Amino acid sequence: MHRVARYAWSLPNSAPGAVLAAVAVATGGRAGVVRGVLEAHGGVVSFILHRMVPLRGGASAMTLGHVVLGRDAGCLERTRAHERVHVRQCEAWGPFFIPAYLLASVLAAVRGRHFYRDNPFEREAFARAAEAAPGDEFSL
């Protein structure tokens, strides 16, 4: 029952991710479930992550609830530990995660810091992923 509650609480984040995963598959990408998380890559999602994310060079991957979108399979593999931290954050914050993440980015920028690197959600994800043993996926 606890697992169902985590999925339900983070559903407002996962729903748009699931739509984008379906779009990825419909445009030539691939998707699959890895340890309770839907991962999708390729197709239009590759373009979105590469060209439409406001980071130099785009993003390799992005988490929306229990959905992780990546440019390609290699990007998903390389970022798995980092993105699983974001899955946990989505479980903790539920429907408030996306607004809190965006607010944290705005506050970092207003304070003269980098909107991405200095976002506390990202700092936690980078730190926990760096501490993780190889292959550790912060399993569900």
Side-chain angles (χ1 to χ4, degrees):
M1 194 62 171
H2 184 65
R3 177 181 279 189
V4 172
R6 289 186 305 187
Y7 281 88
W9 179 238
S10 61
L11 184 61
N13 302 307
S14 300
V19 169
L20 287 170
V23 169
V25 171
T27 57
R30 300 180 81 82
V33 176
V34 178
R35 302 191 80 163
V37 175
L38 176 61
E39 292 185 349
H41 65 86
V44 151
V45 166
S46 291
F47 175 82
I48 291 169
L49 291 173
H50 184 67
R51 302 281 185 203
M52 299 181 78
V53 173
L55 292 171
R56 176 181 237 151
S60 296
M62 179 174 68
T63 297
L64 293 167
H66 284 92
V67 180
V68 177
L69 306 167
R71 284 192 197 179
D72 55 46
C75 287
L76 288 172
E77 181 68 31
R78 284 188 301 280
T79 63
R80 190 164 284 134
H82 177 98
E83 298 304 328
R84 288 307 190 270
V85 175
H86 290 313
V87 171
R88 298 296 158 266
Q89 292 167 341
C90 286
E91 289 178 346
W93 286 78
F96 304 106
F97 176 74
I98 292 174
Y101 182 98
L102 294 173
L103 180 60
S105 287
V106 168
L107 289 174
V110 166
R111 293 177 179 150
R113 306 194 64 148
H114 194 272
F115 73 96
Y116 175 74
R117 286 189 308 272
D118 294 316
N119 180 315
F121 293 102
E122 289 300 334
R123 292 174 65 92
E124 178 188 9
F126 280 112
R128 295 222 24 231
E131 296 168 357
D136 186 353
E137 298 175 12
F138 303 99
S139 60
L140 296 172

